[in-house]
Amino acid sequence: MTQLTMQIGGMSCGHCVGAVTKALKELAGVAVEQVAIGSATVTYDPTTISVDAITKAVEEEGYPVRSAA
C-alpha cells in the first residue's frame, strides 16, 4: 500500500468532507486515512488503482485537486 496526500480546493464545511470521504471510500483498493477541509490522505494499492483515478473521483464531486503526492 502507498500513501497519498491530496490538497483539495473548494472544501468549506462538513458536507464537503463527507462528500469527498464517500467518493474515496467507493474506490476499490483505497483506504481512507483522513479527510479534512482542504486535504485528504489515503492509502491505496497501486496495482489496483492509479493516482489519476483517485484524483478524478474527488474532482467528479466538484472539488479540484491542487496537488497529490
Side-chain angles (χ1 to χ4, degrees):
M1 297 291 271
T2 302
Q3 188 173 63
L4 173 68
T5 299
M6 296 176 284
Q7 299 304 312
I8 305 168
M11 296 175 70
S12 61
C13 65
H15 177 270
C16 301
V17 171
V20 170
T21 301
K22 181 177 183 286
L24 292 169
K25 284 185 174 183
E26 291 177 352
L27 300 173
V30 175
V32 177
E33 300 296 326
Q34 179 182 10
V35 179
I37 293 173
S39 68
T41 301
V42 300
T43 54
Y44 69 100
D45 180 354
T47 64
T48 303
I49 193 164
S50 68
V51 172
D52 288 343
I54 297 169
T55 299
K56 183 178 177 183
V58 173
E59 291 180 340
E60 285 180 348
E61 288 297 316
Y63 304 99
V65 175
R66 295 186 295 229
S67 69

